[in-house]
Amino acid sequence: MERFHHLINGVTAESTSGRFGPVYNPATGEQTGEVDMATVEETDAAVAAAAAAFPAWRATSLAVRSRLMYRFRELVDANRAEIARLISSQHGKTLPDADGEVARGLENIEFAAGVATATAGRFTEQASTGVDVYDIRQPLGVAVGITPFNFPAMVPLWMFPMAIAAGNTFVLKASEKDPAASLYIAELMQEAGFPPGVMNVLQGDRVAVERLLTHPDVKAVSFVGSTPVARYIHETANAHGKRVQALAGAKNHMLVLPDADLGLAADAAVNAGFGSAGERCMAIAVVVAVGHVADPLVGAIKERMSGLKVGPGDQPDTDMGPLVTAEHRERVAGYVAAGAEAGADVVVDGREIEFEGDGFYFGPTLIDRVTPSMTVYTDEIFGPVLSVVRVDTYEEAVKLIEDNKWGNGTAIFTRDGGAARQFVFDVDAGMVGVNVPIPVPVGYYSFGGWGESLFGDTHMYGPEGFKFWTRNKVVTSRWPDPATSTVDLGFPRND
Ligand code: NAD
């Protein structure tokens, strides 16, 4: 049984709490490890290590920070296959999905390595006679990241490379469900040569989180996870004077107009609905079919679903792995049952697929004729369940999206540029795809939703990430006229 401990001040720190959580391999259902659950004292030790490392780290030149970040990037890239293996073994997603997650994380390290450009301020000469004004961005101090199970490598990489490159020191409280990948990546930070205490990892649950949210030395909290926890994190950390960004749940809609390329739309719905078993905050959960496209679209999606192979994530022919836990699988099954009971048409029923062994498998599921009052529509299921809502007009579709409380990602499928442009203008969501079902911004833009998909005002990574992890200082300076100096500097004198 593998054990996952904290990483504090550059070394492994075993918990003394006596509390541990189980870690499973979702493909087999076996418990493969135990993860430490931090106490308040252990949490304080991680924050103290980060606080002690801060003065020297913020004084370290941008050139050195950037060089270390490049070295870290090379180590992550060189160990991609191992990171993907760790992700798949505890999350369940397929190896190509896991590798894709590392690739997206690498983009964030690359952006962070360009810290010198990202943090450059403005300079205004001669704002008043002899007066110059400029601004500089400075780090905040101890920064905290609290991350979800579904991207155990990528979401931490959304946060700490930027935070650290900007001069902060970091404490990561990763998900207790799949701790291996983020711990491994933090160890690569040590190997890259970051000083001890700059990057710390705390294993644990709400005990650690609650202490981090109220600890006086923590200056900023970045969170990604479910909406109820995000709301709580935002309120609590804000009440304790911290800067907070809390990215939350989602229910992403994909609007398909009657003129769409049907094959492209059906492929997109299948990939974005069932990739990573639907455990993605940018997964498509609802297909909104406008007018006569509904019947052929549902048929095309159903046909493609019959070709999906569900199995262990480390098998080369697997398209979709298991869900993360047995409890989560039961929860997903409950939503399908509730949808059927409420009168929706379960076209493909994931409950009916039989699997050998005790893995947490659930088959891809397609539910047609879903209405906005059904729980299958109102709740975030976070599993391989694709709902189809049929509407008559574009306006109805946009209104449906607007009325949904979340606003993470959305997409339109059409061949009409004018319709697509109008959708981009109209729609209430933070990230929009045009014939692209999962419009996750590249690393030099920023990621964030609207509505109940984000609490706070700053999006994650990219330029907004740097903004979040730094604060502005504006300097107004005046130097005496050198011609009036008491020492003869060689200027023509005017006294
Ligand atoms: P979660 O909210 O259960 O857990 C996230 C983190 O919060 C974990 O580190 C966990 O230990 C901690 N936590 C959980 N309950 C807590 C509590 N009561 N008090 C304090 N801390 C607590 O989320 P999850 O199940 O790990 O991840 C799935 C969720 O994350 C989905 O809702 C998904 O949409 C969301 N998500 C959002 C984004 C985004 O960018 N918006 C990205 C990925 C995942």
Side-chain angles (χ1 to χ4, degrees), residues 145-151 154-155 158 173-178 204-210 213 223-230 232-233 246-251 279-282 324 328 380 382 406 408 431 447-449 453-454 460:
I146 301 164
T147 53
F149 80 85
N150 67 320
F151 285 105
M154 183 185 78
V155 171
W158 282 0
K173 208 304 282 171
S175 172
E176 64 276 37
K177 294 194 178 106
D178 46 9
D205 55 8
R206 58 185 305 170
V207 173
V209 172
E210 275 162 17
L213 299 181
F223 171 86
V224 176
S226 59
T227 292
V229 183
Y232 158 77
I233 299 271
L247 276 66
K251 192 86 181 177
E279 292 171 326
R280 287 174 177 157
C281 67
M282 289 290 274
V324 70
H328 188 44
E380 182 185 36
F382 218 57
W406 287 292
N408 214 34
M431 293 167 283
F447 182 109
S453 293
L454 184 142
M460 185 83 58

Side-chain angles (χ1 to χ4, degrees), residues 203-420:
Q203 310 293 357
D205 55 8
R206 58 185 305 170
V207 173
V209 172
E210 275 162 17
R211 179 60 183 153
L212 289 169
L213 299 181
T214 55
H215 195 298
D217 286 347
V218 170
K219 301 299 178 203
V221 176
S222 182
F223 171 86
V224 176
S226 59
T227 292
V229 183
R231 184 183 281 114
Y232 158 77
I233 299 271
H234 184 249
E235 285 171 5
T236 311
N238 246 333
H240 287 83
K242 293 158 201 349
R243 191 176 280 205
V244 197
Q245 56 176 187
L247 276 66
K251 192 86 181 177
N252 305 309
H253 292 58
M254 169 175 153
L255 194 164
V256 184
L257 290 183
D259 73 330
D261 178 327
L262 199 69
L264 183 71
D267 284 342
V270 169
N271 292 334
F274 306 122
S276 261
E279 292 171 326
R280 287 174 177 157
C281 67
M282 289 290 274
I284 291 296
V286 181
V287 171
V288 188
V290 179
H292 62 73
V293 80
D295 282 340
L297 181 63
V298 168
I301 294 173
K302 183 181 175 191
E303 187 192 317
R304 283 162 174 75
M305 286 172 70
S306 64
L308 288 180
K309 171 109 171 55
V310 182
D314 60 0
Q315 296 302 306
D317 58 343
T318 297
D319 296 305
M320 195 181 99
L323 291 173
V324 70
T325 58
E327 298 74 50
H328 188 44
R329 181 184 52 190
E330 294 320 308
R331 199 174 154 266
V332 173
Y335 276 114
V336 178
E341 208 161 288
D345 177 7
V346 183
V347 179
V348 181
D349 192 336
R351 295 170 299 174
E352 287 170 0
I353 300 185
E354 303 236 323
F355 298 97
E356 274 180 30
D358 297 322
F360 310 141
Y361 296 102
F362 191 85
T365 298
L366 181 64
I367 311 185
D368 194 7
R369 300 185 189 279
V370 168
T371 65
S373 61
M374 298 176 182
T375 55
V376 74
Y377 181 82
T378 54
D379 294 8
E380 182 185 36
I381 301 175
F382 218 57
V385 178
L386 193 58
S387 296
V388 179
V389 177
R390 296 174 176 233
V391 296
D392 292 328
T393 64
Y394 166 84
E395 280 81 12
E396 261 184 88
V398 170
K399 178 84 170 55
L400 186 74
I401 300 172
E402 189 183 315
D403 289 347
N404 193 273
K405 66 179 177 179
W406 287 292
N408 214 34
T410 188
I412 187 166
F413 279 72
T414 177
R415 294 175 192 270
D416 189 312

Side-chain angles (χ1 to χ4, degrees), residues 464-482:
E464 292 214 25
F466 267 120
K467 185 166 170 261
F468 180 76
W469 297 118
T470 54
R471 54 186 168 174
N472 211 37
K473 186 179 271 180
V474 183
V475 182
T476 305
S477 79
R478 183 204 308 274
W479 291 99
D481 184 346

